[in-house]
Amino acid sequence: MPKQPLIAADARPWRDATAKPFVRINNVTKKFADVAAVSDVSLEIYQGELFCLLGGSGSGKSTLLRMLAGFETPTAGTIEIDGQDMTAVPPYSRPVNMMFQSYALFPHMNVEQNIAYGLKRENIAATEVGQRVNELLALVKLAEYGKRKPHQLSGGQRQRVALARALAKRPKLLLLDEPLGALDKKLREETQFELVKIQETLGVTFIVVTHDQEEAMSLATRIGVMNQGEIAQIGEPTDIYEFPNSRFVANFIGSANMFEGVVTEDESDHITISSAEAGCDIYVDHGVDCAPEQRLWWAIRPEKIVLSRQRPDGATNVTRGLVDDIGYLGDTSVYQIVLDSGKQVRVTKANTRRGDLDAIKWDERVYLSWAGNAGSVLTA
Amino acid sequence: MRKGWFLPTAAILGFTFLYAPIISLVVFSFNENRLVTVWSGFSLKWYGELFADPQILGAAGLSLQIAFASASIALVLGTLMAIALVRFRRFRGRTMLAGMISAPLVMPDVITGLSLLLLFVAMESLFGWPAGRGTMTIIIAHTTFCMAYVFVVVQSRLVDMDISLEEAAMDLGATPLRVFIDITLPIIAPALISGWLLGFTLSLDDLVISSFVSGPGSSTLPMVIFSKIKLGVSPDVNALATIIIGLVALGVGVATALQLRGQRKPYSRVGRAQK
């Protein structure tokens, strides 16, 4: 289920140059004893967004989140939330709440006390606290569990208590550190959509840290891909997947077949890349900011390549290879093809027919073809 | 493992070696005879005699006071040190400092006692405090080694505690002091209680260090027993020893139970392993 149809086109403030960002991270750097965990990151996040910071371990995504929460102070740069400079404000005075990866539920308090903890710090009347706690318990479907202690709950229930506790103070911004990381696959998929629903109902801005790209793709309005303390690319899930801006992003999100080549033809409406690895000239049907003779990379997603026994008519990009291995995944099959150049290529094919006897088998020689706009030209 | 006779026998021998003297002492404390080693019948008369002896009662009262005071002071100081060393950012020499705090655990009592005595004498001649040796100097001396025990117990509990619990409370609007009272204290409470009990028991037990730093009129219970033994073993000492064994066993038992309860509860580690 894509996230996209749920938001109208006009609800994408990042496409509107006049929109005012809600969170503004300006040139933030964080060093731990000379090692930069986050270096010179600038980021603008808008009201109501569900922004995912995606990266591997050590990419600096958690450090960035902890700086937003106030647990770490930036070495350089500023953080603004809702127009106010928060760089030096301690965590207990920020209009921000965080849901921890370990959930960090207080073990000596029951579910209700956990959820009420933040409200009690604000000197809210006891009756109102009770009412808000009940609302939150209903929101996360735990109305019966108020008196339980955290260790009497399952992993999924704990996760929901942690979410309710983080939402209790009605923060303008909620930070979630690997919110689904500790759940098993099935539960994760269910919870994912529940999380989006809650976010949309309450209209709170979410910033989610995750290393799971599927999670990021299905949750996020926009994704910021992080690599070695820097933002590699910011964009909507489709942008990140279909139009990666670098080899790192192309490889990190999904899988990509990467070909190295040299530009032989550079026109305003198309370019041609000569690639020994591909075994053919790659025709790209749009102009690219590059120079003739420039060495660059061309990446194509496995599902964008078509396999056939006969040479397809009229295809501009065709090369040949031998089926080396087939992985059957149920809904799709993954073909490992060895091109004549020796290059391994990964192709996925949807299994649209049941028990297809005519499917391409091991050790067959096949044609690989793709459309002129199927791949991405990468110069970095 | 294969069943056999060797390991059970070894265990039985070991336990006999450890506990036979204690059991014989307890049994003979109920002996009616004046001669300690000759059994002539069951009697509680030595217990009665014990509770009629003002010297022993006085010494017992003093020992309890000292144990209470030094365990309590050690609890505060040891806990503060544990928090300082565990929660402080990693710095050079942290491991060495932590080791130095627990050094008194392995230091021979004679050396600890002697060094404290020299310190008290030097302080008295420099500042005039503490004036002479007595209850105060014993409390200070006991606090030093009790603190080391409290530190070790509380430190291991703090290391075990998920730091994000404190961060979560802070995130929800609690100031650092509130976080300490609401979150840290309840979670380390079992360690605090067992640290205190351990300190209390050790202080009650101590003979060597007390002998160095005590003064006239401040003889603790172990010191009184020791001096009585020098005049020959009398059965009332057996009775007293039995009572002390009971108290110490109770203290150690409760401390260990609390310690185990703290460890068994899985919640301090919930979700930590999934990273």
Side-chain angles (χ1 to χ4, degrees):
Chain A
M1 261 245 309
K3 164 82 180 154
Q4 233 62 40
L6 296 171
I7 46 165
D10 56 321
R12 295 186 202 172
W14 53 92
R15 292 190 170 184
D16 176 3
T18 59
K20 216 171 136 271
F22 182 65
V23 178
R24 206 195 285 263
I25 299 170
N26 298 314
N27 306 95
V28 162
T29 295
K30 176 69 187 178
K31 285 183 176 173
F32 292 110
D34 292 344
V35 183
V38 170
S39 58
D40 200 26
V41 164
S42 293
L43 198 57
E44 293 183 338
I45 294 162
Y46 298 85
Q47 185 102 48
E49 262 204 271
L50 203 167
F51 192 95
C52 271
L53 283 167
L54 178 63
S57 58
S59 61
K61 57 188 193 307
S62 292
T63 309
L64 192 57
L65 197 75
R66 290 174 61 80
M67 284 194 279
L68 282 165
F71 299 128
E72 309 283 355
T73 327
T75 314
T78 57
I79 292 172
E80 270 173 47
I81 297 170
D82 203 11
Q84 281 178 306
D85 186 3
M86 286 283 155
T87 318
V89 176
Y92 45 86
S93 313
R94 294 193 184 203
V96 171
N97 284 122
M98 177 155 164
M99 188 183 143
F100 289 79
Q101 185 181 13
S102 63
Y103 307 145
L105 299 179
F106 307 133
H108 53 294
M109 299 183 191
N110 66 24
V111 169
E112 281 176 359
Q113 290 166 328
N114 262 285
I115 297 175
Y117 188 80
L119 298 173
K120 286 188 181 150
R121 301 282 79 72
E122 282 186 338
N123 299 320
I124 295 173
T127 49
E128 208 199 322
V129 170
Q131 202 186 329
R132 292 260 286 266
V133 168
N134 288 334
E135 279 170 26
L136 285 156
L137 283 172
L139 180 75
V140 297
K141 302 188 182 106
L142 284 174
E144 315 288 302
Y145 294 87
K147 299 285 182 242
R148 296 250 188 123
K149 286 279 185 74
H151 66 100
Q152 295 168 313
L153 300 176
S154 73
Q157 291 165 340
R158 277 187 214 145
Q159 192 259 3
R160 271 139 59 199
V161 176
L163 181 65
R165 189 180 68 179
L167 286 168
K169 295 181 80 175
R170 299 184 181 150
K172 298 176 189 165
L173 174 63
L174 189 68
L175 309 170
L176 301 97
D177 189 2
E178 305 271 3
L180 311 173
L183 304 179
D184 58 55
K185 194 170 167 9
K186 198 99 189 155
L187 197 56
R188 190 157 60 214
E189 280 165 11
E190 287 169 26
T191 316
Q192 210 159 285
F193 295 112
E194 238 170 84
L195 204 61
V196 173
K197 222 189 271 168
I198 288 175
Q199 191 259 341
E200 281 170 354
T201 320
L202 302 179
V204 184
T205 310
F206 274 28
I207 299 180
V208 178
V209 153
T210 178
H211 68 276
D212 183 334
Q213 43 151 316
E214 254 177 66
E215 191 176 306
M217 299 288 265
S218 57
L219 285 177
T221 53
R222 282 192 307 156
I223 295 173
V225 182
M226 289 196 73
N227 180 32
Q228 294 181 336
E230 291 173 9
I231 297 265
Q233 186 172 1
I234 302 171
E236 292 168 34
T238 42
D239 295 341
I240 303 265
Y241 187 76
E242 306 289 6
F243 305 100
N245 66 355
S246 62
R247 282 181 293 157
F248 171 79
V249 175
N251 276 323
F252 186 75
I253 311 289
S255 57
N257 297 298
M258 197 78 65
F259 297 95
E260 200 173 340
V262 173
V263 178
T264 51
E265 215 182 326
D266 177 22
E267 302 296 331
S268 62
D269 65 337
H270 73 274
I271 67 164
T272 305
I273 303 162
S274 160
S275 167
E277 275 181 335
C280 70
D281 281 352
I282 298 163
Y283 175 85
V284 178
D285 71 354
H286 53 86
V288 174
D289 185 15
C290 64
E293 301 301 311
Q294 188 183 342
R295 177 158 290 276
L296 40 64
W297 295 269
W298 179 79
I300 185 164
R301 300 290 182 192
E303 73 279 4
K304 303 280 193 298
I305 301 178
V306 180
L307 295 181
S308 56
R309 292 201 178 90
Q310 267 81 46
R311 190 182 177 89
D313 296 332
T316 39
N317 294 300
V318 181
T319 187
R320 297 202 71 183
L322 188 72
V323 177
D324 186 46
D325 202 358
I326 304 173
Y328 176 74
L329 303 179
D331 53 346
T332 54
S333 289
V334 181
Y335 291 80
Q336 289 288 349
I337 316 263
V338 181
L339 301 186
D340 295 342
S341 64
K343 169 94 177 165
Q344 285 253 4
V345 175
R346 187 184 161 96
V347 180
T348 54
K349 195 166 166 290
N351 292 321
T352 49
R353 279 163 78 181
R354 207 164 155 221
D356 191 359
L357 295 171
D358 197 33
I360 290 166
K361 306 217 165 46
W362 272 268
D363 295 330
E364 274 194 69
R365 272 190 75 76
V366 290
Y367 289 94
L368 295 84
S369 58
W370 58 88
N373 65 356
S376 322
V377 178
L378 305 170
T379 51
Chain B
M1 187 174 261
R2 204 167 53 84
K3 276 184 192 164
W5 55 269
F6 180 75
L7 291 179
T9 314
I12 289 165
L13 279 175
F15 276 104
T16 312
F17 184 63
L18 281 176
Y19 283 93
I22 294 173
I23 290 167
S24 77
L25 181 140
V26 173
V27 170
F28 279 104
S29 75
F30 298 106
N31 188 3
E32 193 254 325
N33 203 307
R34 168 151 286 281
L35 294 167
V36 177
T37 50
V38 179
W39 182 265
S40 60
F42 180 84
S43 155
L44 287 173
K45 78 170 181 196
W46 302 116
Y47 287 88
E49 208 155 288
L50 190 67
F51 286 107
D53 184 336
Q55 191 198 4
I56 284 189
L57 285 183
L62 182 69
S63 268
L64 288 173
Q65 274 174 37
I66 289 172
F68 185 86
S70 48
S72 304
I73 300 168
L75 180 70
V76 175
L77 294 178
T79 304
L80 287 177
M81 291 204 77
I83 291 170
L85 280 183
V86 174
R87 288 285 180 262
F88 230 65
R89 215 167 265 280
R90 288 203 78 85
F91 57 90
R92 266 180 100 79
R94 186 170 80 160
T95 315
M96 196 187 73
L97 279 179
M100 279 169 66
I101 295 174
S102 42
L105 302 182
V106 289
M107 192 83 78
D109 282 357
V110 179
I111 294 176
T112 312
L114 186 62
S115 62
L116 282 165
L117 175 63
L118 293 175
L119 175 76
F120 291 142
V121 171
M123 277 172 70
E124 193 184 3
S125 63
L126 280 175
F127 325 114
W129 187 91
R133 260 74 60 207
T135 312
M136 175 59 83
T137 49
I138 300 177
I139 290 174
I140 295 172
H142 285 191
T143 302
T144 59
F145 67 81
C146 290
M147 203 176 92
Y149 284 91
V150 171
F151 171 80
V152 170
V153 174
V154 174
Q155 182 205 230
S156 75
R157 182 79 180 154
L158 276 175
V159 167
D160 245 18
M161 183 182 161
D162 185 358
I163 186 116
S164 57
L165 291 172
E166 291 177 359
E167 288 178 344
M170 211 182 274
D171 185 66
L172 291 165
T175 55
L177 181 67
R178 266 238 86 90
V179 173
F180 183 73
I181 295 168
D182 288 350
I183 310 299
T184 317
L185 267 189
I187 289 173
I188 65 170
L192 298 185
I193 297 170
S194 73
W196 186 89
L197 279 172
L198 208 57
F200 186 82
T201 324
L202 288 165
S203 164
L204 215 53
D205 275 353
D206 179 70
L207 168 66
V208 179
I209 296 173
S210 306
S211 314
F212 274 98
V213 297
S214 71
S218 62
S219 294
T220 63
L221 192 57
M223 290 164 71
V224 170
I225 297 172
F226 194 65
S227 63
K228 278 176 86 91
I229 297 278
K230 279 189 227 155
L231 307 171
V233 185
S234 69
D236 60 339
V237 173
N238 275 3
L240 181 60
T242 303
I243 291 171
I244 293 175
I245 288 168
L247 282 177
V248 170
L250 191 72
V252 172
V254 172
T256 314
L258 283 170
Q259 195 74 330
L260 286 178
R261 216 182 107 206
Q263 281 167 10
R264 218 175 291 136
K265 286 227 170 133
Y267 48 62
S268 61
R269 293 173 169 279
V270 163
R272 244 214 212 151
Q274 277 107 356
K275 194 148 197 171

